[in-house]
Coordinates of all heavy atoms in Angstrom, one line a residue:
G274 N 66.7 182.9 24.2 CA 66.5 182.1 23.0 C 65.5 182.6 22.0 O 65.6 182.3 20.8
D275 N 64.6 183.5 22.5 CA 63.6 184.0 21.5 C 64.3 185.0 20.6 O 63.8 185.4 19.5 CB 62.4 184.7 22.2 CG 62.8 185.5 23.4 OD1 63.7 185.1 24.2 OD2 62.1 186.5 23.7
G276 N 65.5 185.5 21.0 CA 66.3 186.4 20.2 C 65.6 187.7 19.8 O 64.5 188.0 20.1
T277 N 66.4 188.5 19.1 CA 65.9 189.6 18.3 C 66.6 189.6 17.0 O 67.7 189.0 16.9 CB 66.2 191.0 19.1 OG1 67.6 191.1 19.2 CG2 65.5 191.0 20.4
P278 N 66.1 190.2 16.0 CA 67.0 190.3 14.8 C 68.4 190.8 15.1 O 68.5 191.7 15.9 CB 66.2 191.3 13.9 CG 64.8 191.3 14.4 CD 64.9 191.0 15.8
P279 N 69.4 190.1 14.7 CA 69.5 189.1 13.6 C 69.4 187.6 14.1 O 69.7 186.7 13.3 CB 70.9 189.3 13.1 CG 71.7 189.6 14.4 CD 70.7 190.4 15.3
Q280 N 68.9 187.4 15.3 CA 68.9 186.0 15.8 C 67.6 185.3 15.6 O 66.6 185.9 16.0 CB 69.4 186.0 17.3 CG 70.7 186.6 17.5 CD 71.9 185.7 17.0 OE1 71.6 184.7 16.4 NE2 73.1 186.1 17.2
A281 N 67.6 184.1 15.2 CA 66.3 183.4 15.0 C 65.8 182.9 16.3 O 66.5 182.6 17.2 CB 66.6 182.2 14.0
V282 N 64.5 182.8 16.4 CA 63.9 182.2 17.5 C 64.2 180.7 17.6 O 64.2 180.0 16.6 CB 62.3 182.4 17.5 CG1 61.7 181.6 18.6 CG2 62.0 183.8 17.5
E283 N 64.6 180.3 18.8 CA 65.0 178.9 19.0 C 63.9 178.1 19.9 O 63.4 178.7 20.8 CB 66.3 178.8 19.7 CG 67.5 179.3 18.9 CD 67.7 178.5 17.6 OE1 67.6 177.2 17.8 OE2 68.0 179.0 16.6
D284 N 63.7 176.9 19.6 CA 62.9 176.0 20.5 C 63.6 176.0 21.8 O 64.8 176.0 21.9 CB 62.8 174.6 19.9 CG 62.0 173.7 20.7 OD1 60.8 173.7 20.4 OD2 62.5 173.0 21.6
R285 N 62.8 175.8 22.9 CA 63.4 175.8 24.3 C 64.5 174.7 24.3 O 65.5 174.9 25.0 CB 62.3 175.4 25.3 CG 61.4 176.6 25.7 CD 62.2 177.6 26.5 NE 62.9 177.0 27.6 CZ 64.1 177.5 28.0 NH1 64.6 178.5 27.5 NH2 64.8 176.8 28.9
H286 N 64.3 173.6 23.6 CA 65.3 172.5 23.7 C 66.5 172.8 22.9 O 67.5 172.1 23.0 CB 64.7 171.2 23.2 CG 63.5 170.8 24.0 ND1 63.6 170.3 25.2 CD2 62.1 170.7 23.7 CE1 62.4 170.0 25.7 NE2 61.5 170.2 24.8
G287 N 66.5 173.9 22.2 CA 67.7 174.3 21.4 C 68.6 175.2 22.2 O 69.6 175.6 21.8
L288 N 68.2 175.6 23.4 CA 69.0 176.4 24.3 C 70.0 175.6 25.0 O 69.7 174.7 25.8 CB 68.2 177.2 25.3 CG 67.2 178.2 24.8 CD1 66.5 178.9 25.9 CD2 67.9 179.2 23.9
V289 N 71.3 175.8 24.7 CA 72.3 175.0 25.3 C 73.2 175.9 26.1 O 74.0 176.7 25.5 CB 73.1 174.2 24.2 CG1 74.3 173.4 24.9 CG2 72.2 173.3 23.5
I290 N 73.2 175.9 27.4 CA 74.0 176.6 28.2 C 75.2 175.7 28.7 O 74.9 174.6 29.2 CB 73.3 177.2 29.5 CG1 72.2 178.1 29.1 CG2 74.2 177.8 30.5 CD1 71.3 178.6 30.2
K291 N 76.4 176.1 28.4 CA 77.6 175.3 28.7 C 78.2 175.8 30.0 O 78.8 176.8 30.0 CB 78.6 175.3 27.5 CG 78.1 174.6 26.3 CD 79.2 174.6 25.2 CE 78.7 173.9 24.0 NZ 79.8 173.9 22.9

Side-chain angles (χ1 to χ4, degrees):
D275 42 324
T277 61
Q280 300 289 4
V282 173
E283 294 294 323
D284 182 89
R285 282 287 317 143
H286 299 290
L288 294 183
V289 178
I290 295 172
K291 292 184 178 179

